[in-house]
Structures are given as C-alpha cells and as structure tokens.
Amino acid sequence: MTVEFAPVVESRLGALPASAEFLRRLDVAGIVDGLCPIREVAHLPTVMVANRLSVTAPLVRVGDWAREWAVEEVFGVEPDLLGDDRLARALDAIAPHLDELVGTVGAQAIGTSKPWPPTPAPTPTPARGQPSTANAINATHVQPCK
C-alpha cells in the first residue's frame, strides 16, 4: 500500500466570498478599467476594498494579508501581485478619476439594490357602493391613550 501526501493550504475565508460577490455585482473592476485603462489596475481596487472589509489594519503589506487569506482562491489574484509599490501605482492611476469612480460605483449600487422599505401591496379598489378602507386604521395596532 502506497500512501501519498498532498500539500494542504489553509487560508482564512471570512467574508471574502460575500465581498467578492458584492464587488462583482457593482462591477467595480469594470468601472475602474473603463475610467483608468491601465493594465493590471482594475482588479486591485476590488482586492483593496476586500482588505479593508476583512481587517482593520492600515493598507500596507496587502500581499502578506493575501497569503494568509483566501484572496487568490476568491479573487484570482496572486499575492505576489499585491506589493505596496504596485498598489501605490494603482492608487496614483485612480486618483485623478476618484470623483467619477465614486459617483459611478454609487449609481451602480443604487441601480442594483432593491428599494427599502419594500413597496407595499396596492390597496384593493372597493366595489361600487362599498366604503373605502384606504385610510382605515387597524384597531389592533392602536395604542390606548393614558
């Protein structure tokens, strides 16, 4: 009998899948790529946002964080690509477009979200000759006066 051992990699997962899905729905990478068409910049802001959502440390040594967390598995970005210099260059490329990025991502968030509070069901129209209940108060929800 031959036993083979395979290397096991343990990484923190935390909220990375939720962050990745949220950022994907907002198309943050596509918006950044459209406004700052510089090679290899578009995916970096999504990873930086995920970093800030998962740890409260300053945005330094992101590559070390990515090695400890499941960044490569969730975002498909190798930790070696997340060096401080590369992130600084990405932020420099984004800075002139910051207002436009924030506005576009914000508009995307508003457009993809469901309204809150949910729209109430329409009030049924009373049959001819029946009193309207549109302004009626449900007596079970009335607080007695003291």
Side-chain angles (χ1 to χ4, degrees):
M1 176 175 167
T2 304
V3 177
E4 292 184 31
F5 292 96
V8 175
V9 176
E10 288 187 24
S11 300
R12 288 182 172 177
L13 193 57
L16 286 180
S19 299
E21 177 62 18
F22 184 67
L23 294 166
R24 186 198 62 75
R25 285 185 187 186
L26 292 178
D27 190 28
V28 171
I31 292 168
V32 170
D33 191 43
L35 294 172
C36 312
I38 298 173
R39 194 176 134 207
E40 298 182 11
V41 170
H43 66 278
L44 295 178
T46 59
V47 174
M48 288 188 266
V49 170
N51 172 265
R52 293 301 300 149
L53 292 173
S54 62
V55 295
T56 57
L59 193 61
V60 294
R61 296 188 189 97
V62 176
D64 294 343
W65 163 80
R67 281 181 205 58
E68 187 179 320
W69 289 70
V71 171
E72 187 170 4
E73 294 81 1
V74 174
F75 289 95
V77 177
E78 295 177 28
D80 292 336
L81 298 177
L82 300 171
D84 291 345
D85 290 340
R86 181 171 285 185
L87 295 177
R89 287 192 303 272
L91 290 172
D92 285 343
I94 291 170
H97 308 283
L98 190 57
D99 289 339
E100 199 171 0
L101 283 168
V102 170
T104 305
V105 171
Q108 183 75 4
I110 291 168
T112 59
S113 65
K114 294 180 180 174
W116 187 258
T119 307
T123 305
T125 306
R128 187 174 282 181
Q130 296 291 325
S132 173
T133 59
N135 294 322
I137 297 174
N138 185 342
T140 61
H141 290 77
V142 176
Q143 294 292 327
C145 296
K146 292 184 180 184

